[in-house]
């Protein structure tokens, strides 16, 4: 009986672990975790029991201070670092680093690797950034909220691709590839917007030193250096220089990711030859002893090193970091940034307008729900009609518009830009509410349109 109970316990743990792995591997899992974290953050920020602790935790100082008794040594790094800035300026660097690796992969070998393949998603992404910015400016030009025009210009790739995956074969594969490439190009555009318009006062000396180090890393890459430490250590130094230079530190993550080599350290021929040699040596080593003995473990480590270095460093890092970014860094970001304390129902009135602060709510909401799909659709229509690009195979204009509506899911990058655009907490919170409502509306509207259009195409 005891053995049977132990078997059931072990089997139960195995099944839970198997379901957990299957859940993590689904494209929509990251979006589900983010939604849960948003709900938790909103509860933490508004429940009387937790809201004080929640805001105090975000404002807790994380700086490292070294101070001598006489005050001769008084050093603090980094100055002004709180839990919230640690999440936005440190953890998000890893997110942007992963985004940079993905952008490089798409440019070198993916949907952005040739002009013909890249022109449609790139132009669609450009239209999908321009139209929301115009709509936001129409509502907020000349007011205190005008600087937030970049908030509705971004697309959250995790949510958009996750919803397409849930919709399954109702959406042609070509449109899924189109939206993925569009989101990658959109991320690149958002990064440029942050770098050019949402930095502080630039300290030229620090920025020049960072660029000099990056130039050295570039030449090191060109000379064939493939050791990971030679790239990660300069990346940390460059982050520190960007942090104090006035250019937002997350840009350093993208810049360094683009310098990571994609070519493997060992060629296919060398890998096959060396693996056969190591395998034969391992099999000959102490066959009479239990496997693996000390000598066999040595050869297994050599084989593991050989296998790892036969895959490009950029691919290895992207594969290793993506689960942590999706299920750790992004949820922490949502917990730290989505918690809006709703002092009154006026916060939920996103259609409020005043001559002083304009209407962040309407600018963001309609920018995401109307501007994004219109910009993506019209830019795609113009590109195809002019002959610059080809319509995705098996796709219709109606279905492309439905997919374009999913581009209005701004969430992650929009929340990030919102935190950079304003210093007034009231404006930041109003922007967050509008982002959440606009993203939910875009997700529901796009999903309903795709379901409706797919049903009509099946009937016809």
């Amino acid at each position: 009986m005891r053995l049977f109970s132990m078997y059931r316990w072990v089997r139960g743990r195995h099944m839970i672990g198997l379901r957990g792995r299957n859940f993590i591997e689904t494209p929509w899992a990251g979006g589900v975790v983010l939604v849960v974290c948003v709900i938790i953050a909103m509860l933490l920020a508004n429940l009387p029991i937790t809201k004080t602790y929640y805001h105090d935790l975000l404002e807790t100082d994380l700086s490292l201070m070294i101070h001598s008794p006489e005050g001769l040594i008084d050093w603090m790094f980094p100055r002004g670092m709180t839990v919230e800035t640690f999440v936005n300026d440190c953890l998000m660097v890893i997110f942007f680093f992963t985004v940079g690796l993905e952008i490089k992969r798409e440019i070198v070998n993916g949907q952005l690797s040739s002009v013909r393949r890249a022109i449609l998603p790139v132009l669609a992404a450009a239209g999908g950034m321009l139209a929301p910015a115009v709509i936001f400016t129409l509502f907020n030009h000349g007011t205190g909220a005008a600087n937030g025009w970049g908030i509705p210009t971004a697309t959250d790739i995790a949510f958009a691709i996750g919803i397409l995956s849930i919709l399954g074969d109702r959406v042609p594969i070509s449109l899924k590839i189109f939206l993925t490439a569009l989101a990658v190009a959109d991320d690149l555009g958002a990064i440029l917007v942050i770098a050019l318009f949402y930095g502080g006062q630039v300290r030229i000396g620090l920025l020049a030193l960072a660029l000099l180090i990056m130039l050295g890393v570039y030449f090191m890459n060109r000379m064939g250096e493939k050791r990971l430490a030679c790239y990660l250590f300069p990346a940390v130094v460059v982050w520190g220089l960007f942090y104090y230079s006035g250019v937002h530190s997350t840009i350093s993550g993208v810049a360094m990711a683009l310098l990571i080599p994609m070519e493997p350290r060992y060629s296919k021929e060398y890998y096959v030859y060396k693996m056969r040699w190591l395998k034969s040596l391992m099999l000959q080593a102490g066959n009479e002893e239990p496997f693996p003995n000390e000598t066999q473990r040595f050869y297994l480590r050599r084989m593991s090193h050989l296998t790892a270095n036969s895959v490009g460093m950029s691919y290895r890092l992207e594969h290793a970091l993506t689960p942590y970014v999706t299920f750790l860094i992004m949820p922490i970001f949502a917990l730290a940034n989505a918690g809006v304390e709703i002092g009154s129902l006026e916060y939920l009135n996103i259609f409020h307008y005043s001559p002083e602060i304009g209407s962040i709510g309407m600018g963001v909401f309609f920018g995401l729900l109307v501007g994004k799909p219109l910009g993506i659709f019209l830019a795609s229509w113009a590109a195809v009609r002019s002959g610059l690009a080809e319509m995705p195979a098996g796709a219709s204009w109606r279905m492309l518009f439905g997919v374009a509506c999913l581009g209005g899911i701004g969430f992650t990058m929009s929340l990030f830009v919102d935190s950079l655009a304003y210093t007034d907490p009231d404006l930041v919170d109003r922007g967050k509410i509008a982002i959440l409502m606009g993203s939910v509306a875009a997700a529901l509207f796009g999903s309903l349109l795709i379901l409706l259009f797919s049903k009509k195409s099946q009937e016809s």
Side-chain angles (χ1 to χ4, degrees):
M1 190 69 176
R2 183 177 296 177
L3 288 175
F4 180 70
S5 299
M6 184 177 293
Y7 166 76
R8 290 184 61 184
W9 180 76
V10 172
R11 187 176 184 276
R13 287 195 61 185
H14 172 72
M15 294 303 296
I16 291 173
L18 187 62
R19 292 191 186 100
R21 285 194 297 271
N22 291 338
F23 171 75
I24 288 174
E25 291 172 358
T26 56
W28 45 266
V32 172
V33 173
L34 283 180
V35 169
V36 172
C37 288
V38 169
I39 295 172
I40 293 174
M42 293 293 289
L43 291 174
L44 290 175
N46 290 279
L47 290 175
I49 300 175
T50 58
K51 65 179 182 180
T52 301
Y53 296 101
Y54 174 77
H55 293 293
D56 283 353
L57 176 62
L58 292 180
E59 295 171 6
T60 300
D61 192 358
L62 286 184
S63 300
L64 175 65
M65 184 175 68
I66 299 176
H67 184 78
S68 65
E70 301 296 330
L72 295 176
I73 300 175
D74 187 7
W75 181 80
M76 180 184 290
F77 179 82
R79 292 187 180 275
M81 179 71 73
T82 63
V83 171
E84 186 174 8
T85 55
F86 173 77
V87 171
N88 292 340
D89 292 347
C90 296
L91 291 185
M92 286 300 285
V93 173
I94 303 175
F95 165 76
F96 276 86
F97 183 80
T98 308
V99 169
L101 294 174
E102 183 179 10
I103 290 172
K104 183 171 183 177
R105 171 171 52 81
E106 291 294 326
I107 291 175
V108 175
N109 295 321
Q111 294 301 311
L112 307 179
S113 58
S114 66
V115 175
R116 190 66 177 171
R117 299 172 72 181
I119 192 68
L120 183 61
V122 168
L123 289 178
M129 296 186 74
L130 180 61
V134 171
I135 288 177
F136 185 94
T137 303
L138 290 176
F139 284 106
N140 296 282
H141 177 68
T143 69
N147 195 46
W149 60 268
I151 298 172
T153 62
T155 295
D156 191 296
I157 187 171
F159 276 116
I161 301 303
I163 290 176
L164 281 186
S165 301
I166 293 174
L167 293 172
D169 56 4
R170 294 181 179 87
V171 181
I173 296 294
S174 61
L175 281 182
K176 293 181 180 179
I177 296 173
F178 164 75
L179 183 61
T180 303
L182 182 150
V184 171
D186 188 278
D187 281 344
L188 182 58
I191 289 163
L192 292 174
V193 167
I194 293 170
L196 296 175
F197 300 102
Y198 292 107
Q201 184 177 359
V202 178
R203 298 181 180 178
I204 301 299
L206 294 177
L207 184 60
L209 182 56
L211 295 176
L212 187 63
I213 294 174
M214 291 166 57
L215 185 63
V217 172
Y218 170 77
F219 283 113
M220 185 171 61
N221 184 347
R222 298 293 295 176
M223 292 171 63
E225 179 57 63
K226 298 294 192 298
R227 287 174 294 185
L228 182 60
C230 295
Y231 292 89
L232 293 188
F233 178 73
V236 175
V237 176
V238 168
W239 168 82
L241 293 170
F242 267 73
Y243 183 80
Y244 286 109
S245 70
V247 178
H248 201 273
S249 57
T250 51
I251 305 303
S252 67
V254 180
M256 291 304 298
L258 297 177
L259 297 175
I260 300 294
M262 297 191 69
E263 301 79 14
R265 186 173 182 180
Y266 302 126
S267 65
K268 175 184 175 182
E269 294 75 17
Y270 181 84
Y271 171 79
V272 172
Y273 166 76
K274 198 75 173 179
M275 185 62 76
R276 286 176 179 171
W277 179 67
L278 291 172
K279 182 179 179 181
S280 64
L281 291 176
M282 183 196 69
L283 294 176
Q284 294 170 13
N287 290 329
E288 299 174 356
E289 300 178 31
F291 177 85
N293 58 38
E294 185 176 349
T295 306
Q296 289 168 335
R297 285 196 295 270
F298 169 77
Y299 288 120
L300 287 171
R301 287 194 297 270
R302 291 282 302 276
M303 293 166 70
S304 176
H305 173 80
L306 177 68
T307 301
N309 283 275
S310 296
V311 179
M313 188 190 303
S314 181
Y315 292 109
R316 296 204 315 270
L317 285 172
E318 184 181 354
H319 179 74
L321 291 174
T322 296
Y324 293 99
V325 169
T326 303
F327 297 103
L328 181 62
I329 292 175
M330 297 310 300
I332 291 175
F333 172 80
L335 288 171
N337 288 272
V340 181
E341 185 177 355
I342 303 175
S344 66
L345 294 179
E346 183 193 350
Y347 267 82
L348 301 178
N349 181 17
I350 60 173
F351 302 108
H352 172 76
Y353 178 85
S354 72
E356 293 79 19
I357 63 171
S359 179
I360 299 173
M362 285 195 287
V364 172
F365 184 83
F366 290 115
L368 292 173
L369 183 61
V370 179
K372 267 290 186 180
L374 278 182
I376 293 171
F377 181 81
L378 292 176
S380 301
W381 181 84
V384 172
R385 290 299 185 188
S386 64
L388 288 174
E390 296 178 353
M391 186 73 171
S396 64
W397 285 114
R398 291 188 304 179
M399 191 62 75
L400 189 143
F401 181 74
V403 170
C405 290
L406 296 182
I409 306 174
F411 196 70
T412 306
M413 200 71 80
S414 293
L415 286 175
F416 189 73
V417 175
D418 178 64
S419 67
L420 300 177
Y422 303 122
T423 55
D424 185 349
D426 181 67
L427 297 182
V428 173
D429 288 346
R430 290 181 183 275
K432 289 179 180 179
I433 291 293
I435 291 166
L436 296 176
M437 295 179 73
S439 296
V440 169
L444 293 175
F445 186 58
S447 301
L448 289 174
L449 283 181
I450 290 173
L451 291 173
L452 177 63
F453 294 153
S454 62
K455 184 177 180 180
K456 285 186 176 181
S457 63
Q458 290 174 357
E459 291 175 352
S460 59

